Amino acid sequence: MGAAASTMGSATSKGGTRKSDAAKAWEDENHDDEHTMESAESNGSVDDSIQRHSLDIEKTTKRTTWAALLVVIVGAVASASFLYMGISNEKETKDESFQKRSTDLAEGVQGAMNDYENACSWIHQACKHWREYDFAYKDFRDLHDSIAAYGGGLDFYAMEWCPNVTAEERPAVEERAAAFFRDKPYEGVPDFNYTGIRGLLPEDPASMTIVSREEKPFYFPIQFFEPIETVKGLYHYDVYSAPWEQPSVNLALETWKPVATPGFKIVASGEQESFTTVLYHPGVPVEGTKPKDLSNMLIQIKALLERSVRFQTESLGVYLFDRSEDMMFLGGMHVVVDANGDRELEYFPDRITLDEITGKDRLYEEDIEFASRVWTIYVVPIDDAYEPSLVTIIVTGVLIFSASLGLALWMLTNMYRSIQIHRVMSKAAAEAAIVTSLFPENVRDRLIQDATRAKPRGGKKGSDSDIFKFDGNDSRGVLCQDGLSNLLTSEGLFGCKPIADFHPYTTIMFADLVGFTAWSSVREPSQVFTLLEVVYHCFDNIAKRRRVYKVETVGDCYVAVSGLPQPRKDHAVVMSRFANDCLMRLPMLLKALETTLGPDTGDLGIRIGLHSGQVTAGVLRGDKGRFQLFGDTMNTASRMESTGIRNKIQCSSETADLLREGGRERWITPREDAISVRGKGLMQTYILKVTAGSRSSAQEAAASLSTNDTSVSSDREGRIQRLVNWNVEVLSSLLKKVVARREAMGNSRRGAARTVGNDQLTKQGGTVLDEVLEIIPLPEFNGDAIRRQVDPDSIVLDSKVVEELSLFVKEVAMGYRNNPFHSFDHASHVTMSVLKMMSRIENPKEILLKKKEAANFKEMEAKLHDTSFGITSDPLSLFSCAFSALIHDMDHQGVPNMTLVNEKSPIAQKYENKSVAEQNSVELAWEKLLSPRFQNLMGCICCNEEEFRRFRQLVVNSVMATDIVDKQLGAARKARWNKAFIGEEDPSEGEDDLQAVNRKATIVIEHLIQASDVSHTMQHWHIYMKWNERLFQEMYKAYKAGRLEKDPSEGWYRGELGFFDFYIIPLAKKLFTCGVFGVSSDEFLNYAIINRKEWELKGEEMVKQYQQNYKVLYEECEESEYAEVTERADDLDDPTPVFSSILEC
């Protein structure tokens, strides 16, 4: 217990004099947060100032614009008010008149319908007792005449009486009718051969054949009808025998209400064709009875409309539609009234459609019920009687608007000056923002202050401002004596003192991307800048948060400083945290970028060097002046970076001392050996690793990556997956171009591509090699399709296609063996080279968009197509090249074809000992692609048999071109090249221009794949060394395994020289000769020559190094030693062959 108390007392005593590490770490974090908030507030004030100026400009512009618009609107409103009021009043009057006339007309139609219903009711009342007393035919004629004279004349086609005659009543009724026509009881009875009640032929009523009515329980014969001359042939015709009449008859008897039939046409002699409807009337309902007999009227629509418009005094059009029959047109009539009041009626039987009527500006519509049917009446104006007069109002409005427009122009002229002022202020604010981004705030203020105070120097340009004078005899110049003392001072040159300050306490950071130079040599410029902008933008954000000042970027080197422009005591701590944040964030950025920027992006690293000391900072004025730092501290910080270790932070002893003083001794670890620094001698440096009580999200994320991925296999799997994602992204992008072109050509059909199999593509009993063609026909140029084509990036591939593409690429990756050289890594590198070369091909569409105004536009389209031999005009060709690069080494066994032949491998016998590995790769990939699992993908690549065959042929020719060892193939390929470009051999007989272009396109595609397959020899020296060593390791491993007879190290040096002299350099010259690949051909040739010279100097030593590396990798490196070897490799300055080989291991 005493010991415990003593321990507690000791702890308490220590606690009173020194805080614990955890408390100190907590205070450090809070201290940094305070600085972060201050930095945010400082940056915010600058941003607020810029935003305030922008808002002022925006407000002024809006006020000016709205003021001008308001003046114009006021003038327009004032001038249009008369027009509006006049039109409104006139329109309202015309609308009311039209509405009233239309309503009257609709009521007239309804009234006419009621008249016909009443007339039909009278017929029923008069005839309903025809059985009880003798109701003669003459009485029915008198009834007809009375109804025809009703209401000023009721016009109808015919009126009928159809009693319900039972089978028992039929003989008596027929006898009575026969006596009527035989005896002719009154004058006017026509001659008629009466044969009894008749009806339509039961078997075929549509033929309208009338025969004697068979026995039925009841009939509805036409007993009376007038005028008898019109329908005498239908006397005693049973209306119930017609199937289309039965629904109307039954409905009338069931409902005891009048029923009208659908409209049908009857053409009377000498009259215009018109729709007609039959009105069946069952009589007035009487309680206790049931309807039995029917009175009928045949009403012509023309007669109904004429009766409806008899009192119309203005020009209108009226149309009737039967809503019960899907808006069946029944008829229309125009009432034309001239200036004298004379009326003219024009009937329209079937020339008007509903769309023509409903499209009118004015339209009256009303539904009218008529005898169990719903008719729709439309009324429209047929002249300009209802249009308002605008002449007077327009003249008045124009005069008012002219006066207000003059006033608006006067106001705009006066406001223009205000706008100009705001524009000047906006420009000044923008310039201030640019200056702020280039210079610290205090330096910026001094620049502005000195610029306003500086006195202009008089004299002519080149007289008193030039220190040297030149004459024609001495190019060295003669020192001016006039005003020499002024010209040799800053005040004399710039009118004010230099802007420079001394900062005794600063820490400077140099950070350089390791492997960037080699990485950028195989990328497009846009990809290079994408990497730098993303990485450095992230660093910039961290710098703002940590209140670190970014000085500049020189190439891929990032320079920053803490302790200026505002001094701070903890500058070394702040810079250490900033450097650590950058180091932790970079791996995540690079792995994320690898999906879009391609292979090896995730292998880039960073070296960071820190040094603390005094610097001179200021603006070196003159052309393109900028804020710079000078002094030995800058040089030492640069040396700390250049002598540093990949993915580590190296700091000098000065920085380490400051960290110790700040209680951060745990962050630094001295390097085992002193390093030699140019101009400094041996220096003791330290490795910096920031640790704290709490870690940032970037640190934790990076830590999780480093601790969880401890095994080589998992790291390799992650790398392969990133390569798979990148290849999927590449192929998807090319596939979108295929789909976009296909849609532009109007060919989006899918499914036909799978109708051809492997057995149909190869010759009978032949191999893949037999499929190689001298000329592959590409599609003819279609300029219209190119112009119609949408942006491929706007194409959205079907989710199933993308899913199958991802699975296919993953299975292709799994199909590659774990060879050092012939691997999925190398296939991805070849694919990237193919993409770079294809992007350098002159694209006709891009040039056409720039030259649309050319007179011979169509001729230029074809010329541009021929310039690239049609390759870029066919997206399927581009996709095929990338696809071929991806699969060209599938299942490669890591030995040459000759070894497989000597070993009598089954695949060598299968392919007749020719291009064994290449043919095997094609068949494996093709068989996989044709699997039903990739049906949607294949259907997207090829939508018809022609595309399928072209795709297959392009893949076969491309992959077979990668066999550069077979002498027979090489000679045939050389002959095709000469025939296409050099003209040593005459073209084939009958070969036209299109075939000649396709010949060139075919051989160019083959050489594109060849160049990409060996592109490492025509790229940066580090890239060449990386892949050259991997190939050596592969061959040496095969030799050690007994599969190669000769030790590759014995002839590797001479072999590489010969490879450059007899294959690589001539191939690069061919790329230049064809004139398709633009600057890529120059780039490849230059790198090939440089690498050849470098290899000639260093090759022999490199081969020895290769052998030593092989021993480390495959003979001395046990599992337990792997981590130690890898750590030693990480200490190297650059990714040398040793480092790349260990990564591959």
Side-chain angles (χ1 to χ4, degrees), residues 625-740:
R626 57 191 175 91
F627 183 75
Q628 292 179 290
L629 306 182
F630 299 92
D632 184 65
T633 302
M634 285 285 288
N635 297 332
T636 306
S638 177
R639 300 295 185 270
M640 291 298 99
E641 177 273 317
S642 61
T643 60
I645 303 174
R646 173 189 174 97
N647 293 333
K648 293 184 182 298
I649 305 171
Q650 178 175 247
C651 67
S652 64
S653 58
E654 287 80 359
T655 303
D657 291 341
L658 291 175
L659 292 175
R660 288 192 190 97
E661 293 176 5
R664 306 304 196 282
E665 185 176 359
R666 65 186 182 280
W667 289 2
I668 55 176
T669 303
R671 291 190 66 171
E672 295 180 0
D673 300 321
I675 63 172
S676 176
V677 178
R678 188 178 63 183
K680 299 285 185 180
L682 293 178
M683 291 183 63
Q684 176 63 55
T685 60
Y686 298 82
I687 300 301
L688 175 67
K689 186 174 182 181
V690 176
T691 59
S694 61
R695 295 192 290 183
S696 64
S697 59
Q699 290 173 318
E700 292 185 356
S704 65
L705 288 174
S706 62
T707 56
N708 293 337
D709 283 344
T710 56
S711 67
V712 177
S713 59
S714 62
D715 182 71
R716 176 174 176 79
E717 289 175 1
R719 174 179 173 81
I720 293 297
Q721 184 58 51
R722 292 195 299 273
L723 291 177
V724 168
N725 295 341
W726 177 77
N727 280 283
V728 170
E729 185 70 22
V730 167
L731 294 178
S732 296
S733 177
L734 294 173
L735 200 54
K736 288 179 180 180
K737 294 181 180 181
V738 174
V739 175

Side-chain angles (χ1 to χ4, degrees), residues 206-218:
S207 65
M208 301 302 292
T209 303
I210 298 177
V211 298
S212 179
R213 185 73 163 135
E214 70 274 18
E215 291 293 333
K216 293 291 182 181
F218 61 89

Side-chain angles (χ1 to χ4, degrees), residues 311-347:
F311 301 117
Q312 184 65 32
T313 58
E314 293 183 3
S315 299
L316 285 174
V318 58
Y319 307 94
L320 283 179
F321 289 83
D322 191 347
R323 186 175 295 274
S324 303
E325 295 292 327
D326 293 331
M327 297 305 289
M328 172 184 176
F329 179 70
L330 299 176
M333 182 168 289
H334 282 184
V335 181
V336 182
V337 182
D338 59 18
N340 299 324
D342 295 333
R343 300 185 342 137
E344 181 180 352
L345 303 181
E346 182 180 4
Y347 180 69

